[in-house]
Amino acid sequence: MPTTFHQIPRERPVTPLLDRASTPDGLRRLAEAELEGLADELRQYLLYTVGQTGGHFGAGLGVIELTIALHYVFDTPDDRLVWDVGHQAYPHKILTGRREQMGSLRQKDGIAAFPRRSESEYDTFGVGHSSTSISAALGMAIAARIQGSKRKAVAVIGDGAMTAGMAFEALNHASDVGANMLVVLNDNDMSISNNVGGLSNYLAKILSSRTYASMREGSKKILSRLPGAWEIARKTEEHAKGMLVPGTLFEELGWNYIGPIDGHDLPTLLATLRNMRDLDGPQFLHISTKKGKGFGPAELDPIGYHAITKLEPINAPAAAPATPKPVSGPKYCSVFGQWLCDMAEQDPRLVGITPAMKEGSDLVAFSQRFPERYFDVAIAEQHAVTLAAGMACDGVKPVVAIYSTFLQRAYDQLIHDVAVQNLDVLFAIDRAGLVGEDGPTHAGSFDLSYLRCIPGMLIMTPSDENELRQMLTTGYLFPGPAAVRYPRGSGPNATIEPALTALEIGKGVIRRQGQNVALLVFGVQLAEALKVGEILNATVVDMRFVKPLDHALLRQLAAEHELLVTIEENSIMGGAGSAVSEFLAADNLLKAVLHLGLPDAYVEHAKPAQMLAECGLDAAGIEAAVRARLIQL
């Protein structure tokens, strides 16, 4: 059994076995009897490294034994190992040649928070969103068949990812094509079953063995000669297994289901994986693990320890007195959470919907105060949007709280099920723009671009906490689809008006009057733009609405200024700035325009301030870009 730790080590632990297993080749040279000790060392080293850098925490601790067993049994990287929900992949990174790079995890120019093909040959598929592993591994299994290769494909899915429809689409297709592949369901109490014990472990060894498989095929040949006999035997076997293990669903989908087994029992894992490695057709292994396994506090609070921040060194020298920073306001998601409760008090029609982001989107208080009006649909973004559409059809007022990057997964539903029918749904789009250390898979870089081309959408970009609250009310009262996009993190500490008041739709506000240059800001870059406005004596405008644009204000600004500069934390291509240029062209207004925003490239993970500076969206970058353009004029 793994050792349980209760503190995160601050000094690098001594790891003689892990020192010999820095790659899967080294791991496979260890004796099987040494693997339990390796698991303890790997768990302790993971605690140490994440304590140094911060990052996802609980899921990786839960798959220590599984990661060791997979790399021990399968010939990686020739055999393809595909991780779902990259939170689980830190132990995999440590065992695949990146142990000494873990100190750079999630930092600028360091290794990524998720598996990434360009980072290692062992990362066979890039991961950011969940529930993709089975489809990807199926594609690899089919490719191996086409190429005449005997290599194996293994998908590891878990941490709630089995709730998404995409996973079941792949399960259904794999059985249809008879793919030779293995799916490991890591059931860490965020998914299916608790039915784990000695009997299920014993059955897994029997049912996955070659002897059982040979007997089953032999019986099939004999009984198939008797009318109906094989079908009766098959159903008898299925029902017998169903009484003891919860795999009937997967058997019905055409998979050979084994489990559930204890995912922390290395001897059972190794024996079962060896047996299943050589079986033909779709194989499904169900293991049960404990999120945060081996670290006492995380075992007790798996949600709270899903990720942790960097630990500060003990007895670190006192830092020099820093320049006082402006007091930051509440987090934008907290402003949303408070608004949702306040609006729900006033309107009994309001319901809140989230695809498994209750804590991240700050719906905890709402779920407690209005449990009958709170709907967490799990990792099923498409369903979340169409569920809201169905509610709106019958007079309910749904608010969908969703991250920008995850709304991309429900784009078809957003158009066909909500917008085409002009249904009254409000989208509270969290994590818009750059999100920092999680990198490009989690950035909300494209929502303005993919939203503004949808007819009938109301799209708003608040510049501070108070505007967020007002815009949420505006979108809620708007009779049709509406979106408010706001960033991760805290606002500038604006005074928040308690009243639930709506803004005049499509009206921007001049925040500073200047000359020659007008800075048109869509969102939270307003504070940086105001700094530049003071330096350059430029006009600064809080545009507020991406759709509809304030046409009257744009005509006024074009008439009074030599250069219009649009600023947004969204892709320049197709974004709010593009909307401004499209209007100017349509209105036959010939005016110099400079678009500032995210480049036509994926912005790599770093601290948010570093990413914004790299994109030229801090005050220094905006000023430099404007001065350069003025020289050209």
Side-chain angles (χ1 to χ4, degrees):
M1 293 298 292
T3 302
T4 298
F5 303 95
H6 296 281
Q7 290 185 333
I8 297 175
R10 292 176 180 269
E11 301 295 331
R12 182 179 174 122
V14 177
T15 54
L17 291 172
L18 186 57
D19 295 345
R20 294 160 53 195
S22 59
T23 67
D25 284 341
L27 167 64
R28 290 189 280 266
R29 285 194 288 269
L30 294 180
E32 190 169 323
E34 296 177 292
L35 297 185
E36 294 277 8
L38 175 65
D40 277 348
E41 290 184 11
L42 179 55
R43 186 166 272 112
Q44 190 173 17
Y45 191 79
L46 178 63
L47 287 168
Y48 165 72
T49 57
V50 179
Q52 299 298 304
T53 63
H56 294 107
F57 190 70
L61 289 171
V63 295
I64 295 287
E65 289 78 14
L66 175 63
T67 306
I68 291 171
L70 287 169
H71 283 295
Y72 197 77
V73 170
F74 289 91
D75 185 23
T76 55
D78 187 55
D79 288 337
R80 308 305 200 227
L81 178 57
V82 182
W83 292 94
D84 211 305
V85 192
H87 312 151
Q88 305 177 89
Y90 291 6
H92 161 80
K93 286 177 181 269
I94 293 171
L95 292 175
T96 54
R98 287 166 281 181
R99 179 184 176 191
E100 298 305 322
Q101 296 171 271
M102 289 297 289
S104 70
L105 182 74
R106 305 172 79 242
Q107 298 175 18
K108 184 173 175 58
D109 301 323
I111 60 175
F114 304 98
R116 189 172 188 177
R117 281 172 55 82
S118 62
E119 189 176 287
S120 170
E121 62 180 334
Y122 292 93
D123 290 359
T124 60
F125 195 76
V127 178
H129 295 177
S130 74
S131 315
T132 59
S133 62
I134 304 176
S135 294
L138 173 57
M140 295 172 187
I142 293 173
R145 177 190 293 173
I146 292 172
Q147 296 162 0
S149 172
K150 297 296 184 182
R151 67 175 179 265
K152 308 296 182 181
V154 182
V156 182
I157 188 168
D159 207 26
M162 204 67 194
T163 59
M166 184 177 177
F168 286 90
E169 292 171 16
L171 288 172
N172 183 62
H173 185 213
S175 62
D176 185 58
V177 298
N180 290 325
M181 64 179 294
L182 170 64
V183 169
V184 179
L185 170 59
N186 172 31
D187 183 354
N188 59 6
D189 293 331
M190 302 287 178
S191 139
I192 292 176
S193 174
N194 294 318
N195 187 12
V196 175
L199 179 59
S200 59
N201 283 354
Y202 174 73
L203 283 173
K205 292 180 181 179
I206 296 298
L207 297 174
S208 67
S209 68
R210 277 191 167 276
T211 302
Y212 176 82
S214 298
M215 291 175 58
R216 190 177 190 275
E217 287 303 308
S219 301
K220 181 178 180 180
K221 291 178 181 178
I222 296 172
L223 295 174
S224 62
R225 299 169 186 167
L226 304 174
W230 168 245
E231 183 62 21
I232 293 172
R234 186 189 68 79
K235 286 193 173 293
T236 301
E237 175 199 45
E238 178 183 294
H239 291 153
K241 290 170 71 175
M243 291 174 65
L244 297 169
V245 294
T248 304
L249 169 63
F250 304 107
E251 293 276 357
E252 289 291 341
L253 285 172
W255 290 73
N256 179 38
Y257 172 92
I258 303 297
I261 66 171
D262 184 350
H264 302 297
D265 181 344
L266 258 172
T268 297
L269 266 179
L270 292 165
T272 305
L273 286 171
R274 285 195 185 100
N275 287 337
M276 300 187 78
R277 177 186 59 193
D278 299 321
L279 297 178
D280 292 330
Q283 307 296 318
F284 193 100
L285 174 62
H286 182 177
I287 71 170
S288 180
T289 63
K290 191 169 187 65
K291 194 168 183 176
K293 182 67 174 179
F295 184 64
E299 291 185 18
L300 295 173
D301 183 12
I303 294 176
Y305 280 89
H306 175 70
I308 63 170
T309 56
K310 175 181 176 180
L311 295 179
E312 294 301 323
I314 297 177
N315 299 324
T323 302
K325 296 181 179 180
V327 178
S328 62
K331 292 182 178 180
Y332 283 101
C333 62
S334 299
V335 176
F336 164 73
Q338 183 61 56
W339 172 86
L340 192 66
C341 291
D342 293 345
M343 185 59 78
E345 288 280 7
Q346 289 196 12
D347 189 346
R349 298 173 300 164
L350 183 148
V351 299
I353 301 172
T354 179
M357 288 290 124
K358 178 174 73 173
E359 287 80 18
S361 293
D362 206 356
L363 287 157
V364 175
F366 179 81
S367 69
Q368 294 168 346
R369 292 176 57 186
F370 306 96
E372 73 287 353
R373 293 155 64 183
Y374 166 73
F375 299 90
D376 185 340
V377 302
I379 302 173
E381 295 88 356
Q382 294 169 306
H383 169 57
V385 174
T386 303
L387 174 69
M391 290 177 170
C393 285
D394 281 351
V396 173
K397 295 271 287 185
V399 178
V400 180
I402 190 167
Y403 288 9
S404 173
T405 185
F406 297 143
L407 184 56
Q408 294 166 182
R409 308 186 87 178
Y411 192 52
D412 180 72
Q413 288 71 25
L414 176 60
I415 295 174
H416 284 268
D417 298 339
V418 175
V420 168
Q421 303 185 90
N422 195 38
L423 293 174
D424 193 359
V425 179
L426 172 61
F427 294 90
I429 304 176
D430 197 353
R431 269 59 168 185
L434 301 173
V435 295
E437 293 88 341
D438 284 344
T441 60
H442 281 57
S445 305
F446 311 110
D447 53 71
L448 295 184
S449 301
Y450 69 67
L451 286 172
R452 76 174 192 85
C453 61
I454 302 175
M457 285 290 300
L458 174 66
I459 308 169
M460 294 166 281
T461 55
S463 58
D464 60 36
E465 309 95 314
N466 187 52
E467 286 215 333
L468 172 58
R469 183 175 172 89
Q470 293 175 323
M471 288 179 181
L472 288 166
T473 302
T474 306
Y476 185 77
L477 298 177
F478 179 73
V484 183
R485 58 105 68 173
Y486 49 94
R488 183 180 186 178
S490 301
N493 204 27
T495 301
I496 300 177
E497 300 171 12
L500 296 170
T501 55
L503 302 174
E504 183 180 357
I505 290 176
K507 292 298 179 183
V509 179
I510 296 176
R511 300 295 186 186
R512 184 189 189 281
Q513 186 63 57
Q515 295 178 336
N516 198 28
V517 176
L519 306 179
L520 283 61
V521 186
F522 295 88
V524 295
Q525 269 65 48
L526 181 66
E528 297 297 290
L530 285 168
K531 297 175 187 176
V532 178
E534 290 296 324
I535 296 170
L536 300 180
N537 190 26
T539 297
V540 180
V541 184
D542 184 355
M543 291 299 295
R544 289 181 162 181
F545 292 86
V546 177
K547 189 173 186 179
L549 284 170
D550 190 337
H551 292 170
L553 181 57
L554 286 175
R555 291 189 183 100
Q556 175 189 336
L557 294 170
E560 297 175 353
H561 298 82
E562 180 183 359
L563 174 64
L564 303 184
V565 181
T566 65
I567 303 171
E568 61 191 301
E569 198 172 331
N570 183 84
S571 170
I572 292 174
M573 299 182 70
S578 294
V580 171
S581 286
E582 290 164 12
F583 167 74
L584 294 175
D587 218 43
N588 200 30
L589 296 172
L590 300 179
K591 181 59 54 178
V593 181
L594 171 62
H595 297 311
L596 301 180
L598 303 184
D600 185 24
Y602 297 108
V603 183
E604 296 302 331
H605 61 273
K607 296 292 183 184
Q610 293 174 315
M611 300 174 82
L612 289 169
E614 180 182 333
C615 296
L617 290 176
D618 59 352
I622 295 169
E623 180 187 353
V626 173
R627 288 188 184 278
R629 188 55 178 270
L630 287 172
I631 292 173
Q632 294 175 352
L633 294 177

